[in-house]
Amino acid sequence: MKTEVVILGAGATGLTLAYELHKRKIPFALLETSSRTGGVIETHRENKFVFESGPNTLQLNRNEVGVLFEELGLQPVLPSENAKYRYILKNGRWCALPSSPLSLVTTRLFSVKDKLKLMVEPLRRSGHFENETLAATVVRRLGQSFLDYAIDPFVSGIYAGDPNELITRVAFPRLYNLEKNYGSFIRGAIHKKFDKTNIKHPMVTNKSITLSGGLETLIKTLEQKLPAKSIHRNIKLKRWKHNKNGLSIEWIENKRAHSLQTNHLVYCGSSARINDFLRTGALRGTELLSEPTTANVIQVSVGFHQWQGKKLDGFGLLAPSIERAGFLGVLFPSAIFSGRAPENGALLSFFFGGRRNPLDELESDTLVLKSVQKILAQHFETNKKPDLFRVFRYQGGIPQYDIGFDLIAQGIERLQNKFPGLHIKGNIRDGIGLPDRIVQAVQFAEQLAQST
Ligand SMILES: Cc1cc2nc3c(=O)[nH]c(=O)nc-3n(C[C@H](O)[C@H](O)[C@H](O)COP(=O)(O)OP(=O)(O)OC[C@H]3O[C@@H](n4cnc5c(N)ncnc54)[C@H](O)[C@@H]3O)c2cc1C
């Protein structure tokens, strides 16, 4: 049996790619090792709460996402007005991240010296430091207090990462390009804002959205658009190899051996499992990639039928590493979107771990609960036991685009050259956010369409 494309992994990347190929009438098979599709995206309904594991929100800031949503008939659910308030922990107190020029002047998050430094940022000479870490970039252009109380918690919220490890060029290419192309972050941002050639899809917004029914609606909708027989779940990959007709792949499904011949084999699995996939390559000497740096994260959904703690009137609370608070952050999903908790109740999403916080003290769920209750008492003014408590553990969950990234990118290049038709996609490269995943899949489908 032959098909044009075989996709490995039915997370957001693999499913979007499958949809884009189907739309272009390119035959494909989608192979997934798990019994369910969606990868890390999952929406749960339990005990009158609706909660997410994996991503909680999606920033609808790319045209490709707007176009996809429109095609799929998906209407973004916008966050509440109050979600514009984001809190940062400083000296044990919640401090709102400035959302206007005036609040930037009055905030106690940043030092006076750095506020002045920010004002002259457009005049500062630009640097071209290819392998500069995010921490170094920010200190150079904005100052230490911006690193400590804005960028560090922001990076925890996205990568669960350490700004001293992440390379600005690969982890935050848009920021890097602002300095590279316009000489300054502020000048670049203003230029982009007024750039008339930058046509935006009407749905595009910088807000973090969800979908009616939660983010899993994206997964279900994509899946419904695909022929049922093209999706193979619960597969066990046996081996793949290159031959004179392209690539062949063998797997076990329902205790039976299956195989396919294909022109394109696309890996869209988790980055932490890339070398497991490469080990199933049957040619001798299949090169492994240097192991990607990843962050382990514990996410905890915590719900209360009656909330009696501190008022939750924002997006969430982030804990900068300098505060040594023992957690990365807490999102307030019931304050961001309606219908997440019973009336007068609350839903919180706690994040622990990341590159800077070992998880040794949170090995059991009992220890996690103890930690959650301590944080609730210390920072949320409540000693009540939660009515909902669910723990999700992500081993190697979030790839880090650090100094080893270029080595991995070169290794991928070599493998793709050695085995024509093999493509390594997914969040090992091109961004970890859901919009990045969608953009990568859309662009790659277009590239395949032009080559077939
Ligand atoms: C805890 C957490 C919170 C996050 N929060 C946000 C957020 O708020 N907003 C945001 O935009 N992004 C967020 N992200 C990032 C984003 O969710 C992920 O980058 C994105 O969902 C990854 O999608 P993917 O399809 O590339 O990979 P995955 O979701 O990892 O899916 C890969 C799939 O491939 C399968 N697979 C693996 N190996 C094989 C193989 N050899 N053969 C076949 N199948 C295979 C796996 O079973 C899995 O189903 C978060 C990530 C995590 C872990």
Side-chain angles (χ1 to χ4, degrees):
M1 287 274 283
K2 181 153 187 169
T3 190
E4 184 62 25
V5 184
V6 173
I7 306 166
L8 296 177
T13 312
L15 274 170
T16 309
L17 177 59
Y19 165 77
E20 293 290 330
L21 294 177
H22 187 56
K23 196 173 87 183
R24 291 169 174 84
K25 301 195 169 33
I26 299 175
F28 69 92
L30 177 57
L31 272 52
E32 167 59 52
T33 49
S34 151
S35 57
R36 55 174 286 280
T37 57
V40 297
I41 300 176
E42 197 168 358
T43 308
H44 310 256
R45 283 164 190 81
E46 200 178 301
N47 198 3
K48 300 191 181 143
F49 296 97
V50 178
F51 53 100
E52 307 276 0
S53 54
N56 275 257
T57 60
L58 178 156
Q59 203 181 12
L60 213 170
N61 59 358
R62 309 286 285 273
N63 281 336
E64 288 85 344
V65 183
V67 172
L68 178 71
F69 278 18
E70 190 182 329
E71 283 177 10
L72 296 175
L74 294 173
Q75 265 308 321
V77 175
L78 294 174
S80 67
E81 189 52 29
N82 278 349
K84 66 174 181 257
Y85 301 115
R86 290 165 191 242
Y87 295 98
I88 306 287
L89 200 65
K90 184 165 185 183
N91 302 327
R93 283 170 53 197
W94 296 21
C95 203
L97 201 63
S99 53
S100 67
L102 178 66
S103 57
L104 184 61
V105 174
T106 56
T107 182
R108 56 184 192 87
L109 280 175
F110 314 125
S111 68
V112 175
K113 185 174 139 230
D114 289 348
K115 287 178 193 171
L116 294 172
K117 194 167 175 177
L118 176 73
M119 282 167 70
V120 295
E121 192 271 344
L123 309 174
R124 203 166 279 279
R125 219 156 28 106
S126 68
H128 293 292
F129 307 110
E130 286 260 295
N131 285 332
E132 189 173 56
T133 63
L134 182 65
T137 308
V138 172
V139 171
R140 179 168 56 77
R141 295 205 71 82
L142 305 174
Q144 186 68 40
S145 62
F146 278 95
L147 172 65
D148 291 341
Y149 286 101
I151 302 302
D152 172 290
F154 169 71
V155 163
S156 291
I158 299 177
Y159 280 93
D162 180 348
N164 292 295
E165 292 181 346
L166 296 168
I167 301 296
T168 314
R169 173 176 48 87
V170 273
F172 293 93
R174 295 220 247 183
L175 186 72
Y176 175 81
N177 285 326
L178 286 183
E179 184 178 10
K180 192 172 171 212
N181 299 334
Y182 304 98
S184 138
F185 299 157
I186 295 179
R187 263 191 285 139
I190 294 172
H191 192 278
K192 288 246 166 221
K193 195 171 164 65
F194 294 103
D195 182 1
K196 293 259 184 317
T197 60
N198 189 6
I199 299 162
K200 288 189 183 149
H201 186 276
M203 269 190 210
V204 165
T205 163
N206 269 333
K207 293 185 174 155
S208 296
I209 62 105
T210 188
L211 295 166
S212 165
L215 286 177
E216 207 176 65
T217 300
L218 171 63
I219 299 303
K220 286 190 179 144
T221 312
L222 283 167
E223 202 181 311
Q224 277 161 14
K225 299 278 177 190
L226 304 176
K229 64 178 183 1
S230 65
I231 309 180
H232 304 258
R233 295 176 188 78
N234 264 327
I235 67 114
K236 180 160 173 33
L237 194 59
K238 291 306 281 179
R239 65 177 188 165
W240 59 271
K241 67 177 174 190
H242 199 245
N243 54 32
K244 62 179 186 333
N245 299 318
L247 292 135
S248 71
I249 180 153
E250 296 169 25
W251 71 94
I252 305 288
E253 185 182 342
N254 292 331
K255 298 186 180 155
R256 284 181 44 211
H258 295 255
S259 68
L260 267 175
Q261 179 68 31
T262 186
N263 289 329
H264 300 279
L265 175 60
V266 193
Y267 180 81
C268 295
S270 3
S271 38
R273 286 164 65 184
I274 178 74
N275 281 326
D276 292 344
F277 160 67
L278 291 176
R279 280 187 198 98
T280 55
L283 276 192
R284 281 239 236 126
T286 298
E287 177 190 10
L288 296 184
L289 294 178
S290 51
E291 213 49 64
T293 308
T294 54
N296 301 331
V297 178
I298 294 180
Q299 184 183 355
V300 193
S301 290
V302 174
F304 294 86
H305 287 145
Q306 280 291 326
W307 176 249
Q308 288 162 356
K310 199 171 161 113
K311 192 171 175 207
L312 304 172
D313 62 348
F315 194 85
L317 171 69
L318 288 168
S321 19
I322 196 168
E323 292 284 307
R324 299 188 188 284
F327 66 103
L328 292 173
V330 183
L331 295 182
F332 311 159
S334 57
I336 309 172
F337 303 117
S338 59
R340 295 296 162 131
E343 213 183 334
N344 302 321
L347 176 71
L348 301 164
S349 186
F350 285 68
F351 290 85
F352 295 94
R355 293 294 298 164
R356 291 192 177 191
N357 305 293
L359 290 168
D360 319 349
E361 287 171 19
L362 298 176
E363 269 168 8
S364 72
D365 289 1
T366 315
L367 289 170
V368 175
L369 178 60
K370 237 171 127 179
S371 201
V372 163
Q373 288 193 290
K374 192 172 151 205
I375 297 164
L376 285 169
Q378 242 173 13
H379 302 293
F380 290 84
E381 298 169 6
T382 182
N383 288 309
K384 260 187 82 179
K385 195 163 182 257
D387 301 299
L388 171 84
F389 175 72
R390 283 285 306 273
V391 180
F392 304 94
R393 293 172 189 270
Y394 300 90
Q395 189 70 27
I398 307 184
Q400 307 289 305
Y401 298 162
D402 65 0
I403 195 71
F405 180 87
D406 284 347
L407 215 59
I408 293 174
Q410 287 155 14
I412 290 175
E413 222 41 53
R414 275 199 301 278
L415 276 166
Q416 294 181 160
N417 288 336
K418 187 167 169 186
F419 305 116
L422 173 69
H423 311 272
I424 309 290
K425 298 289 172 187
N427 65 10
I428 194 164
R429 61 194 295 183
D430 305 333
I432 65 159
L434 286 175
D436 301 314
R437 303 292 80 244
I438 291 170
V439 171
Q440 186 194 58
V442 171
Q443 291 180 349
F444 183 59
E446 191 49 46
Q447 193 186 317
L448 279 182
Q450 280 173 16
S451 71
T452 52

